[in-house]
Amino acid sequence: MAFLFVLTVGLAAGTISGIVGTGSSIMLMPVLVYAYGPKEAVPIMAVASVMANFSRILAWWREVDWRACAAYSVTGIPAAALGARTLLALPAHAVDLAIGLFLIAMVPVRHWLARHDLKANLWHLAIGGAVIGYLTGIVVSTGPLSVPLFLFYGLSKGAFLATEAASSLGLYFAKSVTFERFGALTGEVFIKGLIAGSSLMSGAFIAKRFVLHLKPDVFRLVMDAIMIAAGLSMLWNAAQP
């Protein structure tokens, strides 16, 4: 039953994230924590995120901005590995608490960023990659930060989805490798990650037909609701004895 629940939520999460560019980790992480516990859920989600981002690259392959991807990844990949090593040193309750607070805090941060007509260049992407990469290693998803960064760079729709996914792929791969090196990504955990990731990949291809029709206001409301609900769920888990 746990696998079925994860697959069902993963399909919905993959579809939504395939439309808005983020959200799969935010939606699926509480389910994984409930099913497997926070320490096991984080490496499972890392494997699933690699698969989810790869599927978005396949869906929009021709529209990837490889210069933007390289600028972001060159600093983001080592920073993500460092963040993942930091995460492994934290107790389970601290992981829940950190993720929950981060998700809820990103709601006002995202609105603040949206109110400012900022412009980003390749140097900004490199700086952002280092900061977001480290946070990605610690928390489950930094989409609320990476999404506006790539939008400020001037990407939209398919180009945005493909480039953000290609840039995030390296970060989550580095995170997964770090987990494997330090014994957190076992064979059993890897298989669970493949199962969760397969549902996210399916959702990404379902979502492609809806991308051009999504209204910005709907996107903002959906993301705010998802982040608050997921954040509260993580905080509830952290409060349990």
Side-chain angles (χ1 to χ4, degrees):
M1 287 300 296
F3 281 161
L4 182 60
F5 188 36
V6 169
L7 287 172
T8 301
V9 175
L11 183 62
T15 302
I16 292 175
S17 67
I19 295 172
V20 302
T22 187
S24 61
S25 301
I26 296 170
M27 290 182 65
L28 189 55
M29 186 62 179
V31 177
L32 294 176
V33 170
Y34 176 79
Y36 308 118
K39 280 294 188 179
E40 195 169 321
V42 174
I44 290 174
M45 192 67 246
V47 174
S49 295
V50 170
M51 298 174 66
N53 283 294
F54 185 65
S55 66
R56 287 209 296 273
I57 296 171
L58 291 178
W60 300 96
W61 175 259
R62 296 181 182 276
E63 300 196 50
V64 177
D65 185 327
W66 293 109
R67 291 181 66 209
C69 177
Y72 184 84
S73 300
V74 71
T75 56
I77 289 175
L82 179 61
R85 182 67 187 94
T86 302
L87 172 66
L88 292 176
L90 298 174
H93 277 10
V95 174
D96 279 342
L97 184 63
I99 294 173
L101 291 175
F102 182 84
L103 293 177
I104 294 173
M106 283 303 98
V107 174
V109 169
R110 190 186 64 76
H111 281 275
W112 182 87
L113 291 172
R115 288 195 301 269
H116 295 74
D117 187 22
L118 304 177
K119 300 297 181 184
N121 56 33
L122 292 177
W123 282 107
H124 294 138
L125 289 180
I127 296 170
V131 175
I132 297 172
Y134 181 73
L135 292 174
T136 299
I138 297 176
V139 300
V140 64
S141 174
T142 49
L145 289 178
S146 62
V147 164
L149 180 62
F150 284 99
L151 291 177
F152 294 149
Y153 181 69
L155 302 176
S156 63
K157 295 183 179 179
F160 156 70
L161 291 172
T163 306
E164 197 278 337
S167 302
S168 298
L169 181 65
L171 272 61
Y172 284 109
F173 183 76
K175 187 175 180 177
S176 299
V177 170
T178 302
F179 286 146
E180 192 279 332
R181 180 180 178 185
F182 288 96
L185 183 58
T186 63
E188 181 181 356
V189 169
F190 182 71
I191 292 173
K192 291 175 180 176
L194 292 179
I195 293 172
S198 65
S199 62
L200 295 179
M201 291 184 74
S202 300
F205 286 98
I206 294 173
K208 186 175 181 179
R209 70 183 67 183
F210 300 110
V211 169
L212 298 178
H213 304 291
L214 184 71
K215 295 180 180 179
D217 289 342
V218 176
F219 161 68
R220 287 190 287 268
L221 288 175
V222 169
M223 285 310 304
D224 286 349
I226 291 173
M227 290 169 64
I228 292 173
L232 291 175
S233 174
M234 299 301 294
L235 291 179
W236 183 86
N237 284 330
Q240 302 308 300

